[in-house]
Amino acid sequence: KRLLADRVDSHLALLVQEELFDILWNDTRSRIRAEGVNELTVNKHLKDAQQLTFLHCTHYDHAFQEFANDDKKRFEEIAGIIWTYVLNQDEEAYNDQVKRLATYIEYQYVNLLHGVPDSYFWEGRIPWGDIPEFGSMKDNEGKELEEVGDVPGVEKLQKPWRQTLTDAGDTYYWNTDTFQSTWKKPI
């Protein structure tokens, strides 16, 4: 929305849109390859992911345009979008989880449109908000859920290390403070 609203340099806005699309495309391809998908079917899966992502984002656009002046209805719409596209219409999904994710989406939208100074925006320095905290969640009857410890298969890294993927889908590790990268998992 912010790129489309730019009246200063529409050519630059178009270039940024294209770059964001390329980043999303390459990241999605890397993630598909990391799952071990047969290389001959990567582009088919990429097309499927693109179609689903487009629908997902189109529904967010609708919610923010149609209910721009109705916070309650917009929040309900965003929650429905999350339940549909993120949680795959899971009937057992917790309302608490959906609400936390909807709040996160709402915050990011407001932050991008109104909170980020133009100079930061055009330099790509977006101060993203924190991912929601999922501790102390409640089930749909209001009872507190048991805390989940370590999840098998999910690697925990010490800050400031991050796990990331190459275009080929190979895992490597990146230190966000020193910009050092390594193929071996840091201890």
Side-chain angles (χ1 to χ4, degrees):
K1 294 293 179 196
R2 187 162 178 174
L3 288 170
L4 295 174
D6 185 73
R7 304 280 184 245
V8 178
D9 189 343
S10 58
H11 178 69
L12 179 60
L14 181 60
L15 290 175
V16 171
Q17 282 180 317
E18 289 175 4
E19 181 65 19
L20 288 171
F21 177 81
D22 287 346
I23 291 168
L24 175 64
W25 187 266
N26 290 333
D27 181 66
T28 305
R29 183 176 358 166
S30 297
R31 291 171 186 272
I32 291 169
R33 286 179 173 148
E35 291 298 317
V37 170
N38 181 316
E39 189 64 29
L40 294 174
T41 65
V42 167
N43 284 336
K44 179 213 174 292
H45 292 291
L46 193 54
K47 180 184 69 84
D48 293 345
Q50 181 188 27
Q51 288 175 337
L52 186 61
T53 302
F54 180 77
L55 286 171
H56 187 172
C57 291
T58 300
H59 283 153
Y60 282 133
D61 281 347
H62 168 76
F64 285 109
Q65 286 179 350
E66 187 72 23
F67 307 110
N69 299 319
D70 187 342
D71 295 346
K72 186 174 191 274
K73 185 66 179 161
R74 183 177 60 247
F75 188 83
E76 290 171 0
E77 190 76 13
I78 293 169
I81 294 166
I82 289 167
W83 181 74
T84 301
Y85 293 99
V86 177
L87 301 174
N88 295 317
Q89 300 180 351
D90 183 356
E91 295 290 341
E92 296 177 18
Y94 298 117
N95 293 334
D96 192 14
Q97 180 183 27
V98 174
K99 288 176 185 175
R100 290 176 194 210
L101 289 169
T103 301
Y104 174 75
I105 296 296
E106 179 87 21
Y107 169 80
Q108 296 299 3
Y109 179 82
V110 171
N111 181 43
L112 275 174
L113 249 53
H114 308 294
V116 178
D118 285 342
S119 61
Y120 283 29
F121 182 79
W122 288 110
E123 292 169 6
R125 295 189 297 151
I126 309 294
W128 298 107
D130 292 335
I131 293 176
E133 171 60 46
F134 290 103
S136 304
M137 283 196 36
K138 296 184 179 4
D139 66 14
N140 291 341
E141 280 78 48
K143 291 186 260 177
E144 197 154 313
L145 295 169
E146 185 177 321
E147 292 293 325
V148 177
D150 291 336
V151 178
V154 175
E155 293 187 54
K156 255 190 167 173
L157 297 172
Q158 296 294 320
K159 287 187 178 187
W161 287 96
R162 299 249 172 115
Q163 179 180 324
T164 191
L165 298 171
T166 66
D167 285 347
D170 299 321
T171 300
Y172 69 98
Y173 302 91
W174 178 56
N175 184 308
T176 58
D177 287 347
T178 65
F179 303 113
Q180 174 190 2
S181 61
T182 180
W183 295 107
K184 295 180 183 173
K185 182 180 175 184
I187 300 175

Short mmCIF file of all heavy atoms in Angstrom, two decimals, residues 129-166:
data_model
loop_
_atom_site.label_atom_id
_atom_site.label_comp_id
_atom_site.label_asym_id
_atom_site.label_seq_id
_atom_site.Cartn_x
_atom_site.Cartn_y
_atom_site.Cartn_z
N GLY A 129 8.03 -5.23 14.18
CA GLY A 129 7.65 -5.50 15.56
C GLY A 129 8.00 -6.92 15.94
O GLY A 129 8.23 -7.78 15.08
N ASP A 130 8.04 -7.18 17.23
CA ASP A 130 8.37 -8.51 17.71
C ASP A 130 7.27 -9.50 17.36
O ASP A 130 6.08 -9.16 17.37
CB ASP A 130 8.55 -8.49 19.23
CG ASP A 130 9.78 -7.72 19.65
OD1 ASP A 130 10.73 -7.60 18.84
OD2 ASP A 130 9.81 -7.21 20.79
N ILE A 131 7.69 -10.73 17.09
CA ILE A 131 6.73 -11.81 16.85
C ILE A 131 5.97 -12.02 18.15
O ILE A 131 6.54 -11.90 19.24
CB ILE A 131 7.47 -13.08 16.41
CG1 ILE A 131 8.08 -12.83 15.03
CG2 ILE A 131 6.57 -14.30 16.42
CD1 ILE A 131 8.92 -13.95 14.50
N PRO A 132 4.68 -12.33 18.08
CA PRO A 132 3.89 -12.48 19.31
C PRO A 132 4.47 -13.52 20.27
O PRO A 132 5.03 -14.52 19.84
CB PRO A 132 2.52 -12.94 18.81
CG PRO A 132 2.50 -12.66 17.36
CD PRO A 132 3.91 -12.60 16.88
N GLU A 133 4.31 -13.27 21.53
CA GLU A 133 4.69 -14.22 22.58
C GLU A 133 3.55 -15.24 22.69
O GLU A 133 2.39 -14.87 22.76
CB GLU A 133 4.86 -13.46 23.90
CG GLU A 133 5.05 -14.32 25.10
CD GLU A 133 6.28 -15.21 25.00
OE1 GLU A 133 7.35 -14.72 24.60
OE2 GLU A 133 6.15 -16.40 25.31
N PHE A 134 3.90 -16.51 22.67
CA PHE A 134 2.87 -17.54 22.75
C PHE A 134 2.89 -18.27 24.08
O PHE A 134 2.28 -19.33 24.21
CB PHE A 134 2.99 -18.52 21.58
CG PHE A 134 2.59 -17.90 20.27
CD1 PHE A 134 3.54 -17.49 19.36
CD2 PHE A 134 1.26 -17.68 19.98
CE1 PHE A 134 3.18 -16.90 18.17
CE2 PHE A 134 0.87 -17.09 18.80
CZ PHE A 134 1.83 -16.70 17.88
N GLY A 135 3.55 -17.71 25.09
CA GLY A 135 3.49 -18.28 26.42
C GLY A 135 2.17 -17.90 27.09
O GLY A 135 1.49 -16.96 26.68
N SER A 136 1.80 -18.63 28.10
CA SER A 136 0.56 -18.37 28.86
C SER A 136 -0.68 -18.32 27.98
O SER A 136 -1.58 -17.52 28.20
CB SER A 136 0.68 -17.06 29.65
OG SER A 136 1.81 -17.09 30.47
N MET A 137 -0.73 -19.18 26.97
CA MET A 137 -1.91 -19.22 26.10
C MET A 137 -3.04 -19.96 26.79
O MET A 137 -2.83 -20.81 27.64
CB MET A 137 -1.57 -19.90 24.77
CG MET A 137 -0.81 -18.97 23.87
SD MET A 137 -0.74 -19.48 22.15
CE MET A 137 -2.28 -20.21 21.81
N LYS A 138 -4.23 -19.60 26.39
CA LYS A 138 -5.43 -20.24 26.93
C LYS A 138 -6.14 -21.02 25.82
O LYS A 138 -6.11 -20.64 24.67
CB LYS A 138 -6.36 -19.18 27.51
CG LYS A 138 -5.78 -18.45 28.69
CD LYS A 138 -6.78 -17.48 29.27
CE LYS A 138 -6.36 -16.70 30.46
NZ LYS A 138 -5.09 -16.76 31.02
N ASP A 139 -6.80 -22.12 26.24
CA ASP A 139 -7.58 -22.87 25.27
C ASP A 139 -8.90 -22.14 25.03
O ASP A 139 -9.14 -21.07 25.60
CB ASP A 139 -7.77 -24.33 25.70
CG ASP A 139 -8.63 -24.49 26.95
OD1 ASP A 139 -9.31 -23.53 27.37
OD2 ASP A 139 -8.62 -25.60 27.51
N ASN A 140 -9.75 -22.71 24.22
CA ASN A 140 -11.01 -22.02 23.87
C ASN A 140 -12.02 -21.99 25.01
O ASN A 140 -13.04 -21.32 24.91
CB ASN A 140 -11.61 -22.63 22.61
CG ASN A 140 -10.76 -22.33 21.39
OD1 ASN A 140 -9.95 -21.41 21.40
ND2 ASN A 140 -10.92 -23.11 20.35
N GLU A 141 -11.74 -22.71 26.11
CA GLU A 141 -12.60 -22.63 27.30
C GLU A 141 -12.02 -21.68 28.34
O GLU A 141 -12.57 -21.54 29.43
CB GLU A 141 -12.79 -24.02 27.91
CG GLU A 141 -13.84 -24.87 27.21
CD GLU A 141 -13.31 -25.47 25.91
OE1 GLU A 141 -12.21 -26.03 25.91
OE2 GLU A 141 -14.02 -25.33 24.89
N GLY A 142 -10.85 -21.10 28.05
CA GLY A 142 -10.24 -20.14 28.97
C GLY A 142 -9.23 -20.74 29.93
O GLY A 142 -8.69 -20.04 30.77
N LYS A 143 -8.96 -22.05 29.82
CA LYS A 143 -7.97 -22.68 30.70
C LYS A 143 -6.57 -22.49 30.12
O LYS A 143 -6.37 -22.61 28.91
CB LYS A 143 -8.26 -24.18 30.85
CG LYS A 143 -9.52 -24.48 31.65
CD LYS A 143 -9.66 -25.95 31.89
CE LYS A 143 -10.65 -26.46 30.85
NZ LYS A 143 -10.87 -27.88 30.87
N GLU A 144 -5.62 -22.20 31.02
CA GLU A 144 -4.25 -22.00 30.57
C GLU A 144 -3.66 -23.31 30.05
O GLU A 144 -3.82 -24.36 30.65
CB GLU A 144 -3.40 -21.44 31.71
CG GLU A 144 -2.13 -20.84 31.19
CD GLU A 144 -1.56 -19.77 32.10
OE1 GLU A 144 -2.33 -18.89 32.53
OE2 GLU A 144 -0.36 -19.84 32.35
N LEU A 145 -2.98 -23.21 28.90
CA LEU A 145 -2.35 -24.38 28.28
C LEU A 145 -1.01 -24.66 28.93
O LEU A 145 -0.34 -23.75 29.42
CB LEU A 145 -2.15 -24.13 26.79
CG LEU A 145 -3.42 -23.98 25.97
CD1 LEU A 145 -3.08 -23.48 24.57
CD2 LEU A 145 -4.15 -25.31 25.88
N GLU A 146 -0.62 -25.93 28.89
CA GLU A 146 0.68 -26.33 29.41
C GLU A 146 1.76 -25.77 28.49
O GLU A 146 1.63 -25.77 27.27
CB GLU A 146 0.75 -27.86 29.42
CG GLU A 146 2.00 -28.42 30.03
CD GLU A 146 1.96 -29.94 30.07
OE1 GLU A 146 0.89 -30.51 30.34
OE2 GLU A 146 3.02 -30.54 29.82
N GLU A 147 2.83 -25.26 29.10
CA GLU A 147 3.93 -24.70 28.32
C GLU A 147 4.63 -25.81 27.54
O GLU A 147 4.80 -26.92 28.03
CB GLU A 147 4.95 -23.99 29.23
CG GLU A 147 4.42 -22.73 29.88
CD GLU A 147 4.15 -21.60 28.90
OE1 GLU A 147 4.89 -21.46 27.92
OE2 GLU A 147 3.18 -20.86 29.13
N VAL A 148 5.03 -25.50 26.32
CA VAL A 148 5.74 -26.45 25.48
C VAL A 148 7.23 -26.18 25.62
O VAL A 148 7.67 -25.04 25.50
CB VAL A 148 5.33 -26.29 24.00
CG1 VAL A 148 6.14 -27.22 23.11
CG2 VAL A 148 3.85 -26.53 23.84
N GLY A 149 7.99 -27.22 25.89
CA GLY A 149 9.45 -27.08 26.01
C GLY A 149 10.09 -27.10 24.64
O GLY A 149 9.56 -26.56 23.68
N ASP A 150 11.21 -27.78 24.55
CA ASP A 150 11.89 -27.91 23.27
C ASP A 150 11.06 -28.76 22.33
O ASP A 150 10.47 -29.76 22.72
CB ASP A 150 13.27 -28.53 23.45
CG ASP A 150 14.23 -27.60 24.18
OD1 ASP A 150 14.00 -26.36 24.13
OD2 ASP A 150 15.19 -28.09 24.80
N VAL A 151 11.03 -28.37 21.06
CA VAL A 151 10.29 -29.10 20.04
C VAL A 151 11.28 -29.91 19.22
O VAL A 151 12.25 -29.35 18.70
CB VAL A 151 9.51 -28.13 19.13
CG1 VAL A 151 8.79 -28.88 18.03
CG2 VAL A 151 8.55 -27.28 19.95
N PRO A 152 11.08 -31.23 19.13
CA PRO A 152 12.01 -32.05 18.35
C PRO A 152 12.10 -31.55 16.91
O PRO A 152 11.09 -31.22 16.30
CB PRO A 152 11.37 -33.45 18.40
CG PRO A 152 10.45 -33.42 19.57
CD PRO A 152 9.99 -32.00 19.72
N GLY A 153 13.33 -31.47 16.41
CA GLY A 153 13.54 -31.03 15.03
C GLY A 153 13.70 -29.53 14.87
O GLY A 153 14.08 -29.06 13.81
N VAL A 154 13.40 -28.76 15.91
CA VAL A 154 13.56 -27.31 15.85
C VAL A 154 14.84 -26.94 16.57
O VAL A 154 15.01 -27.23 17.74
CB VAL A 154 12.35 -26.58 16.49
CG1 VAL A 154 12.59 -25.08 16.52
CG2 VAL A 154 11.08 -26.89 15.73
N GLU A 155 15.75 -26.33 15.82
CA GLU A 155 17.04 -25.96 16.39
C GLU A 155 16.93 -24.64 17.14
O GLU A 155 16.36 -23.69 16.63
CB GLU A 155 18.09 -25.81 15.29
CG GLU A 155 18.42 -27.11 14.59
CD GLU A 155 19.58 -26.94 13.64
OE1 GLU A 155 20.64 -26.45 14.08
OE2 GLU A 155 19.41 -27.28 12.47
N LYS A 156 17.48 -24.61 18.34
CA LYS A 156 17.57 -23.38 19.11
C LYS A 156 18.99 -22.87 19.02
O LYS A 156 19.93 -23.62 19.29
CB LYS A 156 17.19 -23.62 20.57
CG LYS A 156 15.85 -23.12 20.94
CD LYS A 156 15.66 -23.18 22.43
CE LYS A 156 14.43 -22.38 22.77
NZ LYS A 156 14.08 -22.52 24.13
N LEU A 157 19.14 -21.62 18.62
CA LEU A 157 20.46 -21.04 18.50
C LEU A 157 20.62 -19.92 19.52
O LEU A 157 19.65 -19.24 19.86
CB LEU A 157 20.67 -20.46 17.09
CG LEU A 157 20.63 -21.45 15.94
CD1 LEU A 157 20.64 -20.71 14.62
CD2 LEU A 157 21.81 -22.39 16.03
N GLN A 158 21.83 -19.73 19.97
CA GLN A 158 22.13 -18.61 20.87
C GLN A 158 22.12 -17.32 20.06
O GLN A 158 22.56 -17.31 18.91
CB GLN A 158 23.51 -18.81 21.53
CG GLN A 158 23.60 -20.02 22.42
CD GLN A 158 22.70 -19.88 23.63
OE1 GLN A 158 22.58 -18.82 24.22
NE2 GLN A 158 22.04 -20.98 23.99
N LYS A 159 21.58 -16.27 20.64
CA LYS A 159 21.64 -14.97 19.96
C LYS A 159 23.09 -14.56 19.87
O LYS A 159 23.86 -14.88 20.77
CB LYS A 159 20.84 -13.93 20.75
CG LYS A 159 19.35 -14.14 20.63
CD LYS A 159 18.59 -13.01 21.28
CE LYS A 159 17.11 -13.24 21.08
NZ LYS A 159 16.30 -12.14 21.52
N PRO A 160 23.50 -13.96 18.82
CA PRO A 160 22.81 -13.36 17.69
C PRO A 160 22.79 -14.24 16.44
O PRO A 160 22.65 -13.72 15.34
CB PRO A 160 23.62 -12.10 17.45
CG PRO A 160 25.02 -12.52 17.73
CD PRO A 160 24.91 -13.54 18.85
N TRP A 161 22.94 -15.55 16.57
CA TRP A 161 22.97 -16.44 15.41
C TRP A 161 21.58 -16.70 14.87
O TRP A 161 20.62 -16.85 15.63
CB TRP A 161 23.64 -17.76 15.78
CG TRP A 161 25.13 -17.62 15.95
CD1 TRP A 161 25.80 -17.44 17.13
CD2 TRP A 161 26.10 -17.59 14.93
NE1 TRP A 161 27.14 -17.33 16.90
CE2 TRP A 161 27.36 -17.42 15.54
CE3 TRP A 161 26.05 -17.71 13.54
CZ2 TRP A 161 28.54 -17.36 14.82
CZ3 TRP A 161 27.23 -17.65 12.82
CH2 TRP A 161 28.46 -17.47 13.46
N ARG A 162 21.48 -16.80 13.54
CA ARG A 162 20.24 -17.14 12.86
C ARG A 162 20.50 -18.24 11.85
O ARG A 162 21.54 -18.25 11.21
CB ARG A 162 19.69 -15.93 12.10
CG ARG A 162 19.36 -14.74 12.96
CD ARG A 162 17.87 -14.53 13.00
NE ARG A 162 17.52 -13.51 13.96
CZ ARG A 162 16.98 -12.36 13.67
NH1 ARG A 162 16.73 -12.05 12.41
NH2 ARG A 162 16.67 -11.50 14.61
N GLN A 163 19.55 -19.13 11.72
CA GLN A 163 19.63 -20.16 10.69
C GLN A 163 18.96 -19.61 9.44
O GLN A 163 17.89 -19.00 9.52
CB GLN A 163 18.90 -21.42 11.14
CG GLN A 163 18.91 -22.52 10.12
CD GLN A 163 18.18 -23.76 10.60
OE1 GLN A 163 18.23 -24.10 11.77
NE2 GLN A 163 17.49 -24.41 9.70
N THR A 164 19.58 -19.80 8.29
CA THR A 164 19.00 -19.32 7.04
C THR A 164 19.31 -20.31 5.92
O THR A 164 19.97 -21.32 6.16
CB THR A 164 19.47 -17.88 6.74
OG1 THR A 164 18.72 -17.34 5.68
CG2 THR A 164 20.94 -17.82 6.46
N LEU A 165 18.82 -20.03 4.72
CA LEU A 165 18.95 -20.96 3.60
C LEU A 165 19.60 -20.30 2.40
O LEU A 165 19.36 -19.12 2.14
CB LEU A 165 17.56 -21.47 3.17
CG LEU A 165 16.75 -22.25 4.18
CD1 LEU A 165 15.33 -22.47 3.66
CD2 LEU A 165 17.41 -23.58 4.48
N THR A 166 20.37 -21.08 1.65
CA THR A 166 20.88 -20.61 0.36
C THR A 166 19.76 -20.77 -0.67
O THR A 166 18.73 -21.38 -0.39
CB THR A 166 22.08 -21.46 -0.10
OG1 THR A 166 21.63 -22.78 -0.36
CG2 THR A 166 23.20 -21.47 0.93
#
